[in-house]
Amino acid sequence: MHLILGGARSGKSRFAEDRINHAGGGTYIATGRAWDTEMANRIELHKSTRGKIWQTIEEPLDLCAALSSCNNRDGAKPIMVDCLTLWLTNLMLEDRDIDAEFGRLCDFLPALDVPVLLVSNEVGFGIVPENAMARVFRDHAGRLHQRIAALADQVTLVVAGIPMSVK
Amino acid sequence: MHLILGGARSGKSRFAEDRINHAGGGTYIATGRAWDTEMANRIELHKSTRGKIWQTIEEPLDLCAALSSCNNRDGAKPIMVDCLTLWLTNLMLEDRDIDAEFGRLCDFLPALDVPVLLVSNEVGFGIVPENAMARVFRDHAGRLHQRIAALADQVTLVVAGIPMSVK
Amino acid sequence: MHLILGGARSGKSRFAEDRINHAGGGTYIATGRAWDTEMANRIELHKSTRGKIWQTIEEPLDLCAALSSCNNRDGAKPIMVDCLTLWLTNLMLEDRDIDAEFGRLCDFLPALDVPVLLVSNEVGFGIVPENAMARVFRDHAGRLHQRIAALADQVTLVVAGIPMSVK
């Protein structure tokens, strides 16, 4: 399990994609929802840059089900989840129990028998946001990253497209 | 002297606490003020996770006095200051002379004869804030971190709970 | 070519200046425009801390022309560009074709026959800004950093005045 953190436009998804391309392809679990044109364009751009050696699953909420559907299949092709922060956004918009969802994911991940690369935005290095929802979001994101990082074999921080090894 | 930087919910306080727990406990200097319920809950949560091997001093403004009271006492038990950014917030709210306060702290720290771990939020990696006070705050925070880091024996950046060595 | 990233008040410019001071001076290309008093003060502060071993060129938009004017001159004295994010700000305010400008710079840089240190703000590690222009800005900045980092011999992230090697 590999947690890949990075800022906006840091090349974190590209880094994960490159690793899976070198492994001959895999499964891309897209958590993003096209709730506006800006986002729709980003999703399309991401799709168009991936090749046919990828299978894509779109799953905004039930990440464990999406991961589970990849288990014991396809000769252990690696999975890329892009990204945890969009998944968190969706959970919050649906008013889910965030800690319960995090617990479910963290209980499930060690049982996966294929390599998984989890991509997420590091969002905690700015000024405290004035927006209360944004404060809650970055607190959740920080806690999730800590939990996943504790379980992960590798943690990478991508800066300007270049990986820095964290763990 | 060890400066421990991290983003929001990065595990920076936990990292410092763990180190002092392994050393058999120490003194926790809390700079936070419970000026709203959110903050009060955070302070209580932090307190409840610390054990009885800790002594707690609450000091929002006069950090040198709080540190000084620990000097030559308790068999050199380590001190944790949590955190410098809340101290800076309090200084700004009280309209203190920030550079003078920074100078006083930086003059005092090398004279401490016990190990001190200074925890602080790295807040400078976001977009320039629209709020002028927030811009002043992050400028002050950045300058303080530079001054402390120049004096420190170790500087650590905590990312997703994992320490990255900076110095 | 050396890309130097850092947050606000991280000491990134100081780090670049120190390196060029040790090399006996060089050319400082200032991209900042004094569009308000706060900025004017920053520019003056920066100027006053540099010595006479520096030549200063102020160029808010045509970075390639400024760099070109340093080529094959002054016995290969190093150049410092401070900073790419202010240059990007100016390009956006002038409504230039950002990708074309990035392409022009990235085509030009490898042809420079003197060492160049490019300083820039890492702005992508915060919460998604509510301001749409700020979102566009940090997307552009992230893409520019990736392109420059791919070309650069060295990439450094400055944290609290201390350099962390990225590449």
Side-chain angles (χ1 to χ4, degrees):
Chain A
M1 191 195 321
H2 188 166
L3 175 63
I4 297 162
L5 297 170
R9 305 294 113 190
S10 62
K12 57 193 185 303
S13 296
R14 173 77 66 88
F15 172 75
E17 283 173 33
D18 284 351
R19 290 178 69 98
I20 294 188
N21 280 328
H22 287 136
T27 305
Y28 182 92
I29 300 180
T31 58
R33 270 177 172 164
W35 32 269
D36 69 12
T37 315
E38 188 182 340
M39 183 58 67
N41 291 342
R42 287 193 179 190
I43 290 174
E44 277 314 304
L45 183 68
H46 273 204
K47 267 191 192 166
S48 69
T49 62
R50 288 194 302 274
K52 286 175 183 176
I53 54 175
W54 287 82
Q55 187 202 349
T56 298
I57 299 175
E58 299 197 19
E59 178 49 62
L61 292 166
D62 197 347
L63 204 44
C64 290
L67 288 164
S68 187
S69 77
C70 305
N71 226 0
N72 298 310
R73 219 196 41 190
D74 278 348
K77 281 199 174 179
I79 305 167
M80 166 175 171
V81 176
D82 194 17
C83 64
L84 295 179
T85 26
L86 286 175
W87 175 61
L88 170 58
T89 302
N90 297 333
L91 293 177
M92 285 178 68
L93 291 173
E94 297 275 337
D95 208 19
R96 298 287 178 98
D97 179 336
I98 304 295
D99 283 327
E101 296 285 347
F102 287 180
R104 211 154 70 87
L105 179 63
C106 291
D107 287 345
F108 180 80
L109 282 170
L112 256 186
D113 60 7
V114 292
V116 60
L117 285 75
L118 301 148
V119 177
S120 199
N121 272 69
E122 174 54 62
V123 297
F125 283 119
I127 282 286
V128 179
E130 294 183 24
N131 180 320
M133 183 67 108
R135 284 201 299 277
V136 171
F137 176 83
R138 69 174 201 159
D139 282 357
H140 283 317
R143 274 192 291 259
L144 177 61
H145 295 161
Q146 284 189 57
R147 291 181 72 166
I148 303 271
L151 296 171
D153 304 297
Q154 275 185 278
V155 179
T156 297
L157 182 68
V158 179
V159 174
I162 315 287
M164 295 180 83
S165 178
V166 178
K167 178 181 177 178
Chain B
M1 191 195 319
H2 188 165
L3 175 63
I4 296 162
L5 297 170
R9 303 294 114 191
S10 62
K12 57 193 183 304
S13 296
R14 174 75 66 89
F15 172 75
E17 282 173 33
D18 283 351
R19 290 179 69 100
I20 294 189
N21 280 328
H22 287 136
T27 304
Y28 182 92
I29 301 181
T31 57
R33 268 176 173 166
W35 32 271
D36 69 11
T37 315
E38 188 182 342
M39 184 56 70
N41 290 343
R42 287 194 179 190
I43 290 175
E44 277 313 305
L45 183 69
H46 272 203
K47 267 191 192 166
S48 69
T49 62
R50 289 193 301 275
K52 286 175 181 174
I53 54 175
W54 287 82
Q55 188 202 348
T56 298
I57 298 175
E58 300 196 20
E59 178 49 63
L61 292 165
D62 197 346
L63 204 44
C64 291
L67 289 165
S68 186
S69 77
C70 305
N71 226 358
N72 298 310
R73 217 196 43 189
D74 278 348
K77 281 200 174 179
I79 305 167
M80 166 175 171
V81 176
D82 193 17
C83 62
L84 294 179
T85 25
L86 286 174
W87 175 61
L88 170 59
T89 302
N90 296 333
L91 293 177
M92 285 177 69
L93 291 174
E94 298 274 338
D95 209 19
R96 297 289 178 98
D97 179 336
I98 303 295
D99 283 326
E101 296 285 346
F102 287 179
R104 211 154 69 87
L105 179 63
C106 291
D107 287 347
F108 181 79
L109 282 170
L112 255 187
D113 59 8
V114 291
V116 60
L117 286 74
L118 301 149
V119 177
S120 200
N121 272 69
E122 174 54 63
V123 296
F125 283 118
I127 282 287
V128 179
E130 294 183 25
N131 180 318
M133 182 67 107
R135 285 201 299 277
V136 171
F137 176 84
R138 70 174 201 158
D139 282 358
H140 283 317
R143 275 192 290 257
L144 177 61
H145 294 162
Q146 284 189 57
R147 291 181 72 165
I148 303 270
L151 296 171
D153 305 296
Q154 275 184 279
V155 179
T156 298
L157 182 69
V158 180
V159 173
I162 315 287
M164 295 180 82
S165 178
V166 178
K167 178 181 177 178
Chain C
M1 192 195 320
H2 187 165
L3 175 62
I4 297 162
L5 297 170
R9 304 293 114 192
S10 62
K12 57 193 183 303
S13 295
R14 174 76 65 91
F15 172 76
E17 282 174 33
D18 285 351
R19 289 177 70 98
I20 294 188
N21 280 329
H22 287 135
T27 304
Y28 182 92
I29 300 181
T31 58
R33 267 177 173 164
W35 31 271
D36 68 12
T37 315
E38 190 182 339
M39 184 58 68
N41 290 343
R42 288 193 180 190
I43 290 174
E44 277 313 304
L45 183 69
H46 273 203
K47 267 191 192 165
S48 69
T49 62
R50 289 194 301 275
K52 286 174 183 175
I53 55 177
W54 288 81
Q55 186 202 351
T56 298
I57 299 175
E58 300 196 20
E59 179 48 64
L61 292 165
D62 197 347
L63 204 43
C64 290
L67 288 164
S68 187
S69 76
C70 304
N71 227 359
N72 299 310
R73 218 197 41 191
D74 278 348
K77 282 200 173 178
I79 306 167
M80 166 175 171
V81 176
D82 194 17
C83 62
L84 294 179
T85 26
L86 285 174
W87 175 61
L88 171 58
T89 302
N90 297 333
L91 293 176
M92 286 178 69
L93 290 173
E94 297 275 337
D95 208 21
R96 298 288 177 97
D97 179 337
I98 303 296
D99 283 326
E101 295 285 346
F102 287 179
R104 211 155 69 88
L105 179 63
C106 291
D107 287 346
F108 180 79
L109 282 170
L112 255 187
D113 60 7
V114 290
V116 60
L117 286 74
L118 301 149
V119 177
S120 200
N121 272 69
E122 173 54 61
V123 297
F125 283 118
I127 282 287
V128 179
E130 295 184 23
N131 180 319
M133 182 67 108
R135 285 201 299 277
V136 171
F137 176 83
R138 70 174 201 158
D139 282 358
H140 283 317
R143 274 192 291 260
L144 177 61
H145 294 162
Q146 284 188 57
R147 291 181 72 165
I148 303 271
L151 296 171
D153 304 296
Q154 275 185 275
V155 180
T156 298
L157 182 69
V158 180
V159 174
I162 316 286
M164 295 179 82
S165 177
V166 178
K167 176 180 177 179

